[in-house]
Amino acid sequence: MIIPNVSKLSDEQLKEVTDIVGSFGCKIQVIYGEMQCIYAIIGDERNDDMITKIEGLPYVNRVDRIQSPHKLMDVRSSLASHRIKMGGVTLGQSLFVCAGPCTIDPKNPNLTIETAHAIKEAGANALRGGVWKPRTNPYSYQGDAKALNILMEAGRATGLPVDTEVMDEEHLRLALDAGVHCLQVGARNALNYSLLRQIGQAIVNRDVAVLLKRSIHMGPTQEFIAAAEYIVQLGNPNVILCPRGTQPALDGYRNHPDESIVPLLKERTWAPVVVDPSHSVGRAAYVPAAALAAIAYGADGLCIEANVSPSKGIGDDPKQAVTPDVLKKIITQARQLWDIRRS
Ligand code: PEP
Ligand code: MN
């Protein structure tokens, strides 16, 4: 990884570096950090002659050689100083909360609009809502592109950035064209490497972030971080990791809360971690405890399903959405816990 002593290489400098690594069978991938671009060497970067040549260039500060399957996401990477901003919050600096319905009902736009205002009032920084849904049952409601207009309208009406899940290239194109701020990769697609690559490619040079859920089929922590590397290696470093529960070992929970992964992630990667306590437990009554546990474990934020009228919602809302008053209490207590954690 090449760290220049300028914020961005000129075209001539980039060509010079590209020619050097090219003569050793490698390529350059530009990563657009907020303050500075860094230049990943793609290929076998262990060749000392290549590194020495690059280090000799007057505009190069240093070349980092991190031997890691996720060298850009690694906590030792120069991207570690990169900060993701959303909804007026710099992730990692203060609590970030994304909230909203599981699924946006295209037949009831008011429910989403009212919910958006209520979650903003409760203190949320971003609005979530499913336009297209990955459903286990093929006969369940699968989503509707019309819901995208409702989500965007709710975002505009409240001034909140919006997050929605995309499952294929068509969703990705529609979501980006509509101006979605955060693309969610769901637990079912977190191991879909071609989708991760398509997203990574589509968001280069765009002010868009990705909320990457943890798949229930992911084992070692590395596997989760490596999935994020698939996106980041294409040029946009705005990836947020989202643990959301794994296979239940106890009867009673829809999933088994996995917020204890947070400190393990923090040891290995600089990426912000925003826990989803709603899918982690699957019942509204257990969400506050799961949310606070996540903050106690060091999470940077929460992604919570909320609805002004959970029983009128579709998808997971009747079971697991909290009401705005509960959300407000969670946010207040999570902020207190955040302060305790910092003290
Ligand atoms: C969701 O966020 O509504 C969702 C389907 O999440 P997950 O991919 O974590 O199941
Ligand atoms: Mn859901």
Side-chain angles (χ1 to χ4, degrees), residues 14-89:
L14 182 57
K15 182 175 182 314
E16 189 173 23
V17 171
T18 306
D19 288 347
I20 295 174
V21 303
S23 66
F24 291 91
C26 294
K27 288 196 294 197
I28 290 289
Q29 173 65 55
V30 188
I31 312 288
Y32 299 89
E34 203 202 335
M35 312 295 279
Q36 195 191 24
C37 287
I38 62 166
Y39 299 82
I41 303 171
I42 308 293
D44 187 353
E45 57 179 309
R46 284 169 303 180
N47 193 306
D48 287 336
D49 292 342
M50 174 175 79
I51 302 296
T52 312
K53 279 195 176 182
I54 298 169
E55 279 175 340
L57 297 170
Y59 46 85
V60 168
N61 178 3
R62 61 175 203 281
V63 181
D64 284 348
R65 277 189 277 185
I66 297 174
Q67 292 306 316
S68 158
H70 45 75
K71 58 186 174 190
L72 297 170
M73 298 306 295
D74 197 283
V75 75
R76 296 163 295 173
S77 156
S78 10
L79 271 182
S81 58
H82 178 66
R83 294 285 170 269
I84 301 174
K85 290 192 186 133
M86 214 189 306
V89 173

Side-chain angles (χ1 to χ4, degrees), residues 65-240:
R65 277 189 277 185
I66 297 174
Q67 292 306 316
S68 158
H70 45 75
K71 58 186 174 190
L72 297 170
M73 298 306 295
D74 197 283
V75 75
R76 296 163 295 173
S77 156
S78 10
L79 271 182
S81 58
H82 178 66
R83 294 285 170 269
I84 301 174
K85 290 192 186 133
M86 214 189 306
V89 173
T90 300
L91 274 83
Q93 286 176 9
S94 50
L95 180 76
F96 171 78
V97 179
C98 176
C102 170
T103 306
I104 294 167
D105 184 350
K107 297 202 188 87
N108 190 355
N110 284 342
L111 191 61
T112 296
I113 305 287
E114 277 172 39
T115 297
H117 284 289
I119 61 125
K120 183 176 183 185
E121 184 66 32
N125 313 102
L127 173 67
R128 62 146 287 146
V131 171
W132 302 281
K133 297 304 298 180
R135 303 305 297 272
T136 310
N137 182 341
Y139 304 111
S140 300
Y141 174 75
Q142 303 283 314
D144 187 331
K146 282 191 211 109
L148 186 57
N149 298 332
I150 301 170
L151 177 67
M152 296 316 295
E153 193 191 325
R156 275 190 297 273
T158 53
L160 294 172
V162 300
D163 159 73
T164 203
E165 174 167 354
V166 292
M167 292 184 285
D168 58 36
E169 230 171 342
E170 170 79 349
H171 300 163
L172 177 58
R173 188 180 60 74
L174 290 169
L176 288 176
D177 286 352
V180 160
H181 308 87
C182 185
L183 300 165
Q184 182 169 309
V185 178
R188 293 161 185 80
N189 270 310
L191 288 165
N192 179 346
Y193 297 121
S194 22
L195 179 66
L196 298 179
R197 262 197 234 99
Q198 281 162 2
I199 292 176
Q201 193 69 63
I203 63 172
V204 175
N205 277 326
R206 283 185 193 250
D207 188 16
V208 170
V210 177
L211 185 79
L212 176 66
K213 298 267 191 120
R214 177 165 182 250
S215 163
I216 58 169
H217 301 296
M218 278 177 182
T221 314
Q222 305 266 44
E223 210 177 340
F224 191 13
I225 305 173
E229 182 95 4
Y230 265 90
I231 300 169
V232 169
Q233 55 136 352
L234 290 159
N236 181 330
N238 295 332
V239 178
I240 302 164

Side-chain angles (χ1 to χ4, degrees), residues 102-103 128 133 254 279 305 315-317 320:
C102 170
T103 306
R128 62 146 287 146
K133 297 304 298 180
R254 174 185 180 187
H279 292 87
E305 288 190 343
D316 297 323
D317 282 354
Q320 72 189 28

